[in-house]
Every structure is written in structure tokens, then in C-alpha cells.
Amino acid sequence: MNLYEEKKACCGCGACADSCPVDAISMKSDDEGFLYPQADREKCIGCGRCIQVCPLKAEKEVRGQQSCFGAQAKSESVRGTSSSGGVFPILAEYVFRRQGVVYGAAYSRDMKVVHREAGSAEELEALKRTKYVQSDLQGIYRSIRERLKEGRWVLFCGTPCQAHGLRLFLGEPHSRLITADLVCYGVPSPGIWRDYVKYLERKSGGKMTDFSFRDKRNRDNGHSRSYVAGGRERADSLYADIYSRMYFADYTIRPSCYECGYCTPDRHSDFTLGDFWGIEKVRPDRDDGMGTSLVILHTDKAREVWEQVKEELDWFSCSKKDVLQPRLKGPTEMPAGREGFMKRYKALPFSLFRLFFAWGMFVRDLRRRAGWR
């Protein structure tokens, strides 16, 4: 079975692998560090299930009228430990009260980003906070299907393609499933992240046990980053972090992300969540440096849930125009230097590669300040 013709035609959601009835598909890393499905032709029975669940091959649906909000958790502790305004843990608590489970991205013991199940507020802590890495969903779609068969409530939070892949995998609506997708700027390479973790561990003299891309200790809307390695915490500006600078320069994201069809307010999920970009213009009285969530409701189920959780939030209604940040208008544009960036990544040790990148950014910034092209 030919799963994709070229790499930009695969988003790496992994729904095809979980859907295969004979386990003929496995997810393998390429030389850019992204996972792609590989089919064992000797095992394949040609059922076509893998093609049926591919979100990039499916027709895009247009949902009904969206409702748009800005929101902040009333609980300072909930908001302070979240990347934006704290809506995700509020939705999670709604599910926990119904003896349900929540799925989201977390760090494994070796700092790999994987989707994981949480059944309590304590377990949820690992799923909170943004991870600028594409997550591995191996086995997650099957796990969610089993939980739904047990009659459990399930909240799934992930990228739009992952959430759409889940719906296609399940094949039918479930009254106890809530899906929340993210305003996604493109998923960065797990391979580059792995190499960066190893670099920081060598530099710190010990194993990394935590990393926060959106640390709020300075009340700067999460523009700080912190990590713990070798038993010691280190914190700095997010924009001084070399891995984050690679991401913000648009070099490290997956090829399919440059042609993403989900960069629109019209989504397949119940909720869309993200940072409320432009809050300082829309509601400057809410811009206190601790984050505000953008919330878009797409379905009647989302509106029903919203009515039951909104008392735990300080929220305000807004128009679609107010929330149309760049990645709700179109995908990230591929930078001209991405091919050269990836060639150097493949050829050089990471410690040397990062120096080349840092020097390139320094020269670029110098040229811009001098008004050169």
C-alpha cells in the first residue's frame, strides 16, 4: 500500500499505523527527525483502511457558525501553570468529574514528546504547557477507542491533523468524546529536539527532567523558558533559546505544515484553543502578562460544555475578525534557507550545527539593523 507520494503529503499523525488490522505499518524517523509510516508489504492485506483514516486525503468539512471567546481561568494556580489562559485544564476537570480520561502531549522519561492518558489532576500536570515538538501518538488512537467502548468520557487535545485523524480512525461520532485542537504554527522535528536535549544534558552535566517553553515567572506572557538538568534549574529568555530560535525562524517544521489545510477557523474538532494574539488591542484590560486563551466553539457539544465550565473562567465574547491571527489565515511559509539548514543538520554534529545557525542569525540581524538585504 502506497501511503504517500511525497513527504509533504504526510502529517505524521500515525492514524494509519493504529488503524492497520495486521500491524503492517510502523512509524519510522527520517533524516530530518520526523516520523513517517512504513508498510511491510509481506504483512499488508490491502484492506485500504490506512488510506481511509488519513486526514490529508479526507475531504475537509465546514462546521456551522463558530462562537469565539477570550478566557482566563479564575484560579491563579491553574492559569499560572498553563501556557495560555488555562482553558485546557478546566475542560479536563469537566471530564474528570465524569470519571473520564484526558489525552495530551507530555514528556517521557527520556524527554521524548508523546501523547499520554491522564485520569486525575495530578497526572494532568504532565500534559499542561506547550511543547514545541511533534508528539508521538503510537497506540493512542486504539487506547481512546477502548476507553470509549468502556463508556468513559474522553478529552483529546492535539494538533488539527491529529484530531481529524482520530475522528476518521473512530469512524463514527461518540457522545462522550470531546476533541480540542490547537492553533498550530507547524510541528518541529522530534529529531532536532532529541539532539538538543542531549546537547543540554552534556552542557549541564546531568539528565534533563523538565523543560518549559512558556515559563510565566516574569509575567511576560510566557516569553521565558526554563529547564531542569543535572538537578539544577536554568531559566532565560525564550528568544535566547537556540532550539526555539530555529523554530521561530520556520526552519524546523514538518514539510506538510508549509501546505497545511487546517490554517482556518473552520475545524473538525469541538473546540479550538490557542494563545489570544492581539489581546492588547482587543481587550487591553486583560493583558496582565499571565496569558489569555483563545477559544472557538465549533459544535453543539462544545457549546453545551462551555455553558457548564464558563463560570470557572473570566471570559468575553469577540468576533471572528478579532481572533484571526496568522495561522488561522494560512500556513507558515517555507523559508528560502530551509534546504540548506537541513543539509547542515544532517552533516554536522549538533554542537557545531548550532554554532553555524547562531552565526547565521547574528549576521542576518546585523544586516537588518544596517538596512542591508
Side-chain angles (χ1 to χ4, degrees):
M1 183 65 66
N2 192 10
L3 296 168
Y4 58 92
E5 294 293 336
E6 48 189 341
K7 288 188 173 179
K8 66 181 181 179
C10 174
C11 64
C13 70
C16 56
D18 265 18
S19 72
C20 182
V22 294
D23 293 329
I25 300 173
S26 55
M27 302 297 290
K28 302 291 186 181
S29 180
D30 74 345
D31 55 5
E32 291 185 352
F34 293 105
L35 293 174
Y36 288 88
Q38 290 186 9
D40 184 332
R41 298 189 182 279
E42 293 186 1
K43 287 185 177 181
C44 179
I45 59 175
C47 66
R49 177 64 177 154
C50 53
I51 301 300
Q52 296 168 10
V53 302
C54 177
L56 299 196
K57 291 180 173 63
E59 284 189 27
K60 301 295 186 289
E61 302 174 15
V62 177
R63 294 296 186 100
Q65 181 67 37
Q66 293 98 357
S67 303
C68 304
F69 303 94
Q72 299 170 341
K74 290 180 178 178
S75 167
E76 285 296 316
S77 61
V78 168
R79 190 174 168 217
T81 56
S82 301
S83 292
S84 299
V87 172
F88 170 60
I90 296 296
L91 294 177
E93 183 57 35
Y94 172 89
V95 171
F96 292 151
R97 288 196 295 267
R98 288 156 179 78
Q99 288 72 54
V101 292
V102 177
Y103 290 83
Y107 295 119
S108 67
R109 289 186 178 180
D110 59 358
M111 294 302 293
K112 180 180 178 181
V113 177
V114 297
H115 258 63
R116 181 186 298 173
E117 177 186 298
S120 66
E122 292 74 22
E123 293 176 347
L124 184 70
E125 288 301 312
L127 276 57
K128 294 163 68 173
R129 300 180 300 169
T130 296
K131 285 92 176 172
Y132 291 142
V133 190
Q134 184 169 27
S135 62
D136 186 343
L137 278 80
Q138 182 176 351
I140 292 298
Y141 299 101
R142 294 180 180 182
S143 177
I144 290 173
R145 182 174 60 192
E146 291 306 307
R147 290 292 184 243
L148 291 169
K149 284 182 179 179
E150 294 168 0
R152 306 283 295 275
W153 279 83
V154 172
L155 168 64
F156 174 84
C157 185
T159 63
C161 54
Q162 290 171 343
H164 191 192
L166 172 61
R167 288 187 63 242
L168 294 168
F169 173 87
L170 295 172
E172 59 184 3
H174 289 267
S175 61
R176 295 191 174 188
L177 172 66
I178 303 169
T179 54
D181 64 37
L182 305 170
V183 180
C184 177
Y185 280 69
V187 289
S189 164
I192 294 178
W193 168 249
R194 180 186 62 243
D195 291 339
Y196 183 54
V197 169
K198 290 179 180 178
Y199 163 75
L200 289 181
E201 289 180 337
R202 288 194 298 270
K203 181 180 177 181
S204 304
K207 183 174 175 57
M208 183 183 291
T209 55
D210 192 28
F211 194 104
S212 175
F213 285 100
R214 303 290 301 278
D215 191 303
K216 292 184 177 180
R217 70 184 67 193
N218 296 321
R219 302 185 70 90
D220 58 357
N221 287 309
H223 292 167
S224 300
R225 73 98 172 93
S226 63
Y227 67 93
V228 178
R232 178 185 170 193
E233 185 187 50
R234 296 160 177 84
D236 203 344
S237 166
L238 178 64
Y239 303 102
D241 180 76
I242 197 70
Y243 174 88
S244 299
R245 292 198 71 188
M246 292 176 185
Y247 175 45
F248 298 144
D250 303 329
Y251 289 126
T252 63
I253 69 174
R254 193 179 183 95
S256 62
C257 297
Y258 298 114
E259 298 186 12
C260 179
Y262 297 96
C263 294
T264 166
D266 300 317
R267 300 287 182 92
H268 298 263
S269 300
D270 298 302
F271 291 87
T272 290
L273 305 177
D275 289 326
F276 199 120
W277 282 36
I279 185 67
E280 71 281 359
K281 298 176 182 177
V282 177
R283 287 295 300 269
D285 57 307
R286 299 296 182 94
D287 184 21
D288 61 358
M290 290 298 289
T292 302
S293 292
L294 161 66
V295 184
I296 304 177
L297 315 183
H298 299 285
T299 63
D300 289 340
K301 181 187 295 181
R303 284 180 271 275
E304 179 182 339
V305 173
W306 177 257
E307 286 300 314
Q308 297 185 57
V309 303
K310 67 182 185 181
E311 293 304 315
E312 300 174 61
L313 300 160
D314 288 322
W315 60 274
F316 57 90
S317 299
C318 52
S319 68
K320 186 182 288 189
K321 181 181 178 181
D322 291 332
V323 305
L324 280 182
Q325 52 185 270
R327 293 296 78 81
L328 291 177
K329 296 179 181 179
T332 299
E333 184 177 349
M334 182 184 291
R338 185 185 187 276
E339 183 178 356
F341 173 90
M342 284 298 181
K343 282 183 178 179
R344 285 188 290 273
Y345 168 65
K346 298 170 192 177
L348 298 172
F350 188 83
S351 57
L352 185 56
F353 166 68
R354 60 170 287 277
L355 291 176
F356 268 92
F357 176 78
W359 173 251
M361 290 292 100
F362 172 76
V363 172
R364 187 195 67 173
D365 293 345
L366 191 64
R367 285 177 176 272
R368 285 180 175 175
R369 286 195 292 269
W372 300 343
R373 293 187 177 182

